[in-house]
């Protein structure tokens, strides 16, 4: 959903094209806990920091639309988790692919970069990583931005029947789970959802992600990590209690065509944080696919 361009502002400026000249994106790696962690960084380092945590099966690449639109005013940092993107992919037999481990590594990542205060932008898997980070170090978190990331059991949609069965009996349901989660069709549906305007979506989005998921070792990595997702469901009450107690500044952005999660979830956050700013967008699970302009404007307004 494109926003109207104000009078006197060029379309190039409104789309963030000028920002990429003054504030280019840098593609860097740093070593954390013996692993090479890749990250994207842009914007003035003295500006408020947005730490962007990606979802499945994407990487920091999913935030490129925001880098193009927000780097004039914010310090943007977006890492790839171990096993994703350009970070190391350690052998699952030697590395625990769990959300607890991810949160620990991401906390150490922020320390390695000297990030003592930041707002967390959490999408999909970024939610369970980010909430763990926030509970471990609440003093570091200035605000939360939740984009299609679940923090309540009722927010898990119909797709989760096969996934819950996998948690209950992994060996009996592994094959079904991998089809449900990692197939080309599942990867495509994660983007399109039930959006009737399929021509708005670049098919490279899902074919690139499926190529990533098809790489040697990825099936085992993603299966291990998703088996651990059951610990997120167990932790939801703890996250909710923390939000109710702390009342963090909270922006919730939700794609109404998202089939991964239930559309009741945005309002569930408002029950925990009554002053939360909640927006349901004309978009899917990866709302930046089609609503980057609107999201950038909402983030700017929220971060003021």
């Amino acid at each position: 959903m494109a926003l109207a361009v104000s009078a006197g502002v060029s379309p190039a400026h409104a789309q963030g094209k000028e920002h990429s000249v003054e504030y280019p994106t840098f593609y860097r790696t740093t070593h954390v806990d013996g692993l090479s962690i890749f990250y994207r960084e842009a914007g003035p380092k003295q500006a408020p920091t947005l730490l962007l945590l990606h979802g499945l099966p994407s990487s920091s690449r999913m935030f490129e639309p925001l880098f193009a639109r927000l780097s004039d005013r914010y310090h943007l940092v977006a890492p790839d988790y171990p096993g994703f993107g350009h970070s190391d992919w350690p052998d699952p037999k030697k590395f625990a692919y769990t959300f607890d481990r991810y949160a620990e590594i991401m906390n150490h990542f922020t320390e390695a970069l000297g990030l003592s205060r930041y707002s967390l932008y959490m999408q999909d898997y970024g939610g369970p990583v980010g909430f763990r980070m926030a509970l471990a170090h609440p003093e570091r978190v200035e605000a939360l931005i939740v984009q299609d990331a679940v923090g309540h059991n009722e927010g898990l949609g119909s797709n989760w029947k096969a996934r819950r069965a996998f948690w209950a009996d992994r060996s009996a349901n592994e094959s079904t789970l991998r089809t449900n989660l990692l197939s080309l069709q599942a990867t495509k549906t994660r983007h399109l959802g039930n959006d009737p305007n399929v021509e708005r979506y670049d098919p490279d989005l899902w074919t690139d992600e499926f190529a990533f998921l098809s790489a040697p070792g990825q099936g085992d990595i993603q299966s291990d990590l998703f088996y651990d997702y059951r610990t997120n469901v167990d932790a939801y009450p703890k996250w909710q209690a923390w939000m109710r107690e702390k009342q963090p500044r909270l922006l919730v952005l939700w794609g109404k065509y998202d089939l991964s999660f239930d559309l009741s979830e945005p309002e569930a956050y408002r029950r925990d944080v009554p002053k939360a700013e909640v927006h349901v967008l004309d978009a899917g699970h990866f709302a930046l696919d089609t609503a980057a302009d609107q999201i950038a404007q909402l983030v700017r307004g929220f971060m003021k």
Side-chain angles (χ1 to χ4, degrees):
M1 182 186 296
L3 294 178
V5 178
S6 301
V9 180
S10 71
H13 183 84
Q15 293 297 319
K17 301 302 183 185
E18 293 180 0
H19 306 158
S20 62
V21 175
E22 189 174 355
Y23 298 103
T25 298
F26 294 95
Y27 304 91
R28 295 176 163 138
T29 58
T30 189
H31 280 83
V32 179
D33 297 355
L35 297 171
S36 177
I37 300 298
F38 173 88
Y39 64 102
R40 298 161 200 261
E41 184 174 22
K45 290 193 175 183
Q46 70 274 18
T49 296
L50 270 172
L51 181 64
L52 302 114
L53 301 174
H54 67 80
L56 167 81
S58 191
S59 69
S60 57
R61 177 182 174 183
M62 67 168 285
F63 294 116
E64 285 185 346
L66 288 184
F67 274 64
R69 290 162 173 81
L70 296 178
S71 61
D72 63 320
R73 191 174 298 181
Y74 305 104
H75 177 213
L76 305 176
V77 179
D80 291 350
Y81 313 133
F84 286 79
H86 296 288
S87 290
D88 279 348
W89 297 8
D91 185 337
K93 295 177 182 177
K94 301 176 181 178
F95 177 87
Y97 281 95
T98 68
F99 288 92
D100 281 349
R101 188 74 179 103
Y102 274 11
E104 181 181 36
I105 290 171
M106 290 295 104
N107 273 324
H108 293 166
F109 168 80
T110 65
E111 293 159 8
L113 268 61
L115 304 178
S116 59
R117 295 279 288 170
Y118 44 78
S119 294
L120 284 168
Y121 189 117
M122 309 181 294
Q123 196 271 342
D124 190 69
Y125 276 10
V129 175
F131 274 117
R132 282 171 169 82
M133 294 176 69
L135 268 64
H137 293 285
E139 74 283 358
R140 299 178 182 177
V141 179
E142 295 182 322
L144 301 178
I145 301 173
V146 173
Q147 184 214 307
D148 296 85
V150 168
H152 309 80
N153 190 44
E154 61 269 33
L156 301 180
S158 59
N159 284 340
W160 293 77
K161 182 177 181 180
R163 298 169 185 182
R164 291 180 192 273
F166 172 68
W167 298 334
D169 187 342
R170 179 171 182 174
S171 61
N173 293 283
E174 181 100 23
S175 176
T176 301
L177 181 280
R178 291 194 185 206
T179 300
N180 179 274
L181 194 69
L182 308 177
S183 68
L184 176 59
Q185 185 57 49
T187 306
K188 179 178 179 179
T189 300
R190 249 191 304 271
H191 283 274
L192 297 181
N194 59 0
D195 190 338
N197 300 308
V198 297
E199 293 178 353
R200 299 195 300 165
Y201 294 81
D202 180 353
D204 288 349
L205 291 164
W206 53 86
T207 56
D208 285 357
E209 287 178 357
F210 182 65
F212 157 73
L213 290 171
S214 302
Q218 269 299 313
D220 292 339
I221 289 171
Q222 298 304 334
S223 181
D224 277 4
L225 184 58
F226 193 79
Y227 185 64
D228 189 66
Y229 199 99
R230 70 196 191 284
T231 66
N232 301 331
V233 181
D234 294 339
Y236 288 163
K238 185 189 303 184
W239 305 348
Q240 294 160 23
W242 179 83
M243 286 189 286
R244 288 194 297 270
E245 177 189 353
K246 299 294 185 182
Q247 292 298 299
R249 294 189 61 238
L250 175 61
L251 171 63
V252 180
L253 305 169
W254 209 266
K256 68 180 181 181
Y257 300 119
D258 186 352
L259 293 180
S260 297
F261 303 132
D262 195 84
L263 194 52
S264 65
E265 183 65 359
E267 287 302 323
Y269 280 106
R270 206 198 301 265
R271 291 200 301 271
D272 296 325
V273 184
K275 292 184 179 180
E277 185 179 334
V278 177
H279 298 272
V280 176
L281 310 175
D282 186 29
H285 180 66
F286 293 101
L288 290 168
D289 289 351
T290 58
D293 286 342
Q294 184 182 16
I295 289 172
Q297 290 280 45
L298 291 170
V299 170
R300 284 179 184 272
F302 173 74
M303 293 285 287
K304 285 181 180 177

